[in-house]
Amino acid sequence: MTDVLRRGRASLAFGFFAQGVAFALLVTRIPAIQDRYGVSDALLPVFLAAVPILAGVGSVVSERLVRRVRPSRLLRWSQPVVLLALLGVGAGDRVAVLAVALAVFGLAVGALDASMNMLGVSLQRAYGRSIMLGFHAAYSLGGILGASLAWAGAHWDLALWVSYLPVVVLLLPAALVGSRWYVDGDLEGAEGAGTGEDTVGGGVGASVGFKVLLPLCLVMTFAYIGDSTVSNWSAKYLQDVLGSSEQLATVPYNVYMVTTLVGRALGDFGVRRFGAVAVVRGGAVVAAGGFAVVASAPGAWVGMLGFTLLGLGLCVLVPQTFAAAGRLAAEKDGRPGASDAAVARLNVFNYVGFLIGSPLVGALGDAWSYRGAMLVPMVLVLVTVVYARSFEGQPDRYGGGHERPRTADVGRGSNGL
């Protein structure tokens, strides 16, 4: 059983890594995509907004699908679709092709994000201690690699498909092979998958409704408002508000990504030592402090310190929110698959925060000031402190009030279907 769990953990971590690479390759080459297809500045926001909207649709559909099929199957086939859609974005030559490729990418990403976190939550429950932050650290590492590959492609003026093809050729077969060792947590419920019995996640909406998950949905939304603020406005803020050079303005997001990786790599140890509530509260306070430093920074270097604090603070919120939703659903509804449906529902608010964050800061910056605009995500992140009690009961170690998982609960990888 130890070998099964270890293989499942390693293969899922690679899935997170591959998704980080693919997503970074898309979002960091948006100017090149715009140039390739001749998309106007007026039309570009429509394309960019369509991806998270369709990803939300994909996540909602995933909530229904996991009532019939295991999350491991959903992940196994959605990841190749994401990679092929990425290649389609790079290889097309007409706007219609771009629209179709981005639509497929968005729908598949929603299913992929939801199913990855479903498996992560169930594996954490099987381990009986915090491991979710490690999966998201793998995603951050993939994002750093993807952004570096995108920089290399832009530096050498490579065609998009030339940049994307080697990545897809390497990651796609590796992801398919690795998917053989995915581990589904709730074996008894999965036994009924595909038989027509609504046993996997069935009835979750009646027992674990939106009202119960609302605090976690708000935390997820606020965390992604903060994240999208950094990704979309850090360079402009440093250059236009703090007077940095164009080259220096590219540094904050890279620093943010690196500190996110470091924070997540160490975060599981913090949860095991201090508990999820303390880690979430600490992360929210550090992130709010980062926004305060950014808003009041007298110059570029102090501003970069603020973005560094943001990476360290925000990085723990999302993984712990997924884990809390899975735990809460399992407590409120003992039926197998309840946590999977709750994770899929929560995942929608990932995209809600992404859609709100950037336009909100931009509108406030234009109407008021960008320094003042940075205070809004600061206040929203601080609200997380109020909801920190929702993270109680997270597994930290065996013997901390949590039973060891029964062997039957994790006794079969996805290749046993």
Side-chain angles (χ1 to χ4, degrees):
M1 283 314 307
T2 300
D3 289 340
V4 169
L5 289 178
R6 286 176 178 170
R7 287 196 298 267
R9 184 178 180 181
S11 61
L12 183 58
F14 181 80
F16 272 87
F17 171 81
Q19 167 62 350
V21 174
F23 194 77
L25 278 171
L26 178 72
V27 299
T28 55
R29 296 304 307 274
I30 286 173
I33 293 170
Q34 183 180 13
D35 291 342
R36 177 178 179 85
Y37 290 93
V39 178
S40 67
D41 289 339
L43 188 59
L44 182 62
V46 176
F47 280 93
L48 297 182
V51 174
I53 290 173
L54 289 171
V57 173
S59 190
V60 171
V61 172
S62 297
E63 181 183 348
R64 303 294 181 182
L65 288 177
V66 295
R67 299 183 180 187
R68 293 290 185 266
V69 300
R70 294 184 179 185
S72 58
R73 275 192 169 179
L74 186 60
L75 175 55
R76 173 183 289 175
W77 297 114
S78 59
Q79 192 148 53
V81 173
V82 168
L83 292 169
L84 291 173
L86 175 69
L87 185 59
V89 170
D93 57 0
R94 291 179 295 174
V95 173
V97 174
L98 175 64
V100 171
L102 287 178
V104 173
F105 186 92
L107 289 169
V109 159
L112 177 60
D113 286 347
S115 56
M116 281 196 310
N117 284 289
M118 289 174 194
L119 291 187
V121 167
S122 65
L123 266 176
Q124 175 165 288
R125 189 163 57 248
Y127 266 79
R129 57 188 172 89
S130 179
I131 61 172
M132 273 296 288
L133 281 154
F135 294 128
H136 286 259
Y139 178 90
S140 296
L141 180 61
I144 293 171
L145 177 60
S148 300
L149 292 173
W151 177 89
H155 179 74
W156 295 104
D157 198 24
L158 300 177
L160 282 172
W161 72 270
V162 174
S163 297
Y164 291 167
L165 181 60
V167 174
V168 174
V169 167
L170 288 174
L171 291 183
L172 196 152
L176 285 174
V177 171
S179 70
R180 290 176 53 82
W181 292 285
Y182 289 153
V183 174
D184 288 284
D186 296 312
L187 182 62
E188 295 93 339
E191 299 281 6
T195 64
E197 299 177 17
D198 192 11
T199 57
V200 182
V204 172
S207 299
V208 187
F210 177 74
K211 184 177 180 179
V212 174
L213 291 176
L214 179 59
L216 298 176
C217 293
L218 291 175
V219 172
M220 179 70 77
T221 302
F222 298 157
Y224 271 98
I225 287 175
D227 182 82
S228 65
T229 298
V230 178
S231 60
N232 288 283
W233 294 103
S234 59
K236 179 178 176 61
Y237 187 87
L238 218 71
Q239 187 172 354
D240 294 354
V241 179
L242 301 183
S244 76
S245 65
E246 183 177 355
Q247 291 78 11
L248 189 60
T250 65
V251 174
Y253 185 67
N254 291 330
V255 171
Y256 172 79
M257 289 296 293
V258 171
T259 53
T260 294
L261 171 62
V262 172
R264 286 174 171 173
L266 300 176
D268 284 322
F269 299 103
V271 174
R272 296 169 200 167
R273 176 66 179 84
F274 302 106
V277 173
V279 169
V280 168
R281 279 178 175 163
V285 171
V286 170
F291 276 118
V293 171
V294 169
S296 61
W301 290 103
V302 177
M304 281 196 288
L305 172 62
F307 287 114
T308 301
L309 293 174
L310 281 171
L312 290 173
L314 289 175
C315 70
V316 301
L317 300 183
V318 171
Q320 286 304 304
T321 305
F322 278 121
R327 184 265 310 164
L328 183 62
E331 288 180 355
K332 295 290 184 180
D333 187 329
R335 282 171 285 188
S339 67
D340 293 338
V343 168
R345 187 172 301 175
L346 178 67
N347 188 56
V348 173
F349 291 86
N350 162 352
Y351 312 114
V352 172
F354 188 85
L355 283 170
I356 292 175
S358 181
L360 175 65
V361 171
L364 289 173
D366 291 339
W368 181 23
S369 75
Y370 281 98
R371 287 186 182 272
M374 291 294 168
L375 298 177
V376 175
M378 180 194 76
V379 172
L380 293 178
V381 169
L382 271 179
V383 174
T384 298
V385 175
V386 178
Y387 295 124
R389 286 295 176 187
S390 299
F391 295 83
E392 284 184 333
Q394 294 292 78
D396 45 16
R397 61 180 70 83
Y398 290 130
H402 304 277
E403 299 180 0
R404 275 185 185 269
R406 292 175 295 131
T407 299
D409 288 337
V410 290
R412 188 180 300 174
S414 66
N415 58 321
L417 285 166

